[in-house]
Amino acid sequence: MPEQITRVDESKVLFEDDEHQVVWFGWEEQEGADSFVQTNQCLVVNNDKGYFFDPGGTYVFHHVLENIMRVINPRQIRYLFATHQDPDVCSSIPYWMKTTDADLLISRLWLHFVSHFGMEDVERVVAVPDSGGRISLDTGDYISMVPAHFLHSEGNFSIYDSRSKILFSGDIGAAIFPPGKRTMFVKDFDEHLPFMEGFHKRYMHSNAVCARWVEQIRQMDIKMIVPQHGSIFPEDQIENFLSWFSELRCGGDYVEQIYRDERF
């Protein structure tokens, strides 16, 4: 049977060696709930220093904090990373800024918008240029913010951990499941496709942008792709996803159908 995720406090180690650990925290909405979309939060611990990706919305803050405290003292978190500006990505940022001493890395386009979530420590927000950026780790490894603009945000990044070779892709690869269908990992791409196809067709910008991102990703050494919503793509499913995404017609490719309120 597929590996089901049902507990709010569930977590899983995705990578671990003597110096480096990647931990997934996946908050699960109540069965049958329509108000909230499930989100994945991930933490890298490198030589006892933390790097936290897409912290999530205010609704899940306490659940995620409780789980993180089982792994690391929040004051050991050095950086918070936000792939883009959506509330499900970073509306909890004011709480994390108070709970940690971390700086927030986010696109330069959203530098002056995140304060609207109620954040006061704007001097701790680092604007990432459109070309991306890289944080060096104590072990000589790095975490990079990889350009993913317009997928779906104007200022958008994927995040790559060079030690684990995991790509945290934000909304790229996201899936939304009906009750009881969510699984931890994608095992059959064709069966998984209906859970993400509609989302990508409407929320992604256009095929040209999708293909440009795939071109860049195929030049990287990636062992796993972890979207912000839904299932994780293990190594044997990565090419299936990239091939599909590079050919996807979406967003502006359907602009006439959208204006006519047609389904596509």
Side-chain angles (χ1 to χ4, degrees):
M1 290 182 61
E3 188 176 354
Q4 301 293 333
I5 307 300
T6 56
R7 293 173 50 202
V8 163
D9 60 353
E10 190 102 27
S11 64
K12 187 174 182 66
V13 175
L14 300 180
F15 176 90
E16 187 171 32
D17 61 25
D18 291 342
E19 300 176 310
H20 197 85
Q21 186 181 52
V22 180
V23 187
W24 165 93
F25 307 99
W27 173 77
E28 178 66 44
E29 73 279 11
Q30 294 297 317
E31 187 74 14
D34 295 323
S35 300
F36 300 95
V37 63
Q38 178 271 335
T39 57
N40 299 319
Q41 291 79 38
C42 290
L43 172 74
V44 165
V45 180
N46 182 277
N47 274 357
D48 298 323
K49 294 175 182 175
Y51 306 84
F52 189 33
F53 307 151
D54 283 356
T58 56
Y59 188 83
V60 304
F61 169 74
H62 293 291
H63 297 308
V64 177
L65 176 61
E66 180 181 351
N67 284 331
I68 278 189
M69 290 176 66
R70 298 172 182 171
V71 178
I72 193 173
N73 184 323
R75 294 294 175 189
Q76 294 173 259
I77 297 177
R78 295 186 63 187
Y79 289 100
L80 305 167
F81 296 75
T83 55
H84 58 295
Q85 81 292 352
D86 279 356
D88 61 301
V89 171
C90 58
S91 62
S92 64
I93 285 294
Y95 299 109
W96 288 106
M97 297 297 265
K98 288 179 169 50
T99 307
T100 74
D101 299 315
D103 291 338
L104 169 67
L105 277 71
I106 193 168
S107 166
R108 66 175 183 85
L109 298 182
W110 306 121
L111 180 64
H112 301 295
F113 288 80
V114 291
S115 59
H116 286 275
F117 289 130
M119 187 179 66
E120 299 174 354
D121 300 324
V122 291
E123 70 277 3
R124 290 166 56 194
V125 182
V126 179
V128 180
D130 288 345
S131 58
R134 178 180 291 192
I135 298 293
S136 298
L137 307 181
D138 290 349
T139 54
D141 304 289
Y142 62 87
I143 294 171
S144 60
M145 298 193 75
V146 180
H149 302 301
F150 302 103
L151 297 171
H152 63 96
S153 171
E154 298 91 327
N156 191 61
F157 294 95
S158 301
I159 304 168
Y160 179 69
D161 172 35
S162 71
R163 182 70 167 242
S164 66
K165 304 186 188 313
I166 297 176
L167 181 73
F168 303 88
S169 56
D171 280 343
I172 303 168
I176 300 173
F177 297 97
K181 295 294 185 180
R182 182 181 168 219
T183 59
M184 179 83 190
F185 294 95
V186 177
K187 296 182 179 180
D188 185 312
F189 185 80
D190 291 335
E191 289 185 5
H192 183 71
L193 184 55
F195 302 131
M196 62 177 183
E197 189 169 28
F199 172 83
H200 285 75
K201 281 185 174 181
R202 185 59 193 262
Y203 280 81
M204 298 297 143
H205 181 277
S206 64
N207 175 257
V209 179
C210 296
R212 179 63 181 87
W213 181 83
V214 170
E215 178 185 342
Q216 142 185 261
I217 297 306
R218 280 191 168 138
Q219 299 175 24
M220 302 169 63
D221 184 7
I222 297 172
K223 302 298 185 186
M224 186 182 295
I225 295 179
V226 182
Q228 196 219 352
H229 309 284
S231 300
I232 295 168
F233 294 90
E235 187 173 10
D236 64 354
Q237 295 292 339
I238 290 175
E239 182 54 36
N240 289 335
F241 173 69
L242 294 180
S243 295
W244 171 78
F245 194 61
S246 68
E247 298 293 331
L248 180 70
R249 293 184 66 240
C250 56
D253 300 322
Y254 290 103
V255 67
E256 293 303 324
Q257 290 92 326
I258 292 170
Y259 272 79
R260 292 195 297 265
D261 197 22
E262 296 176 3
R263 299 298 296 271
F264 56 88

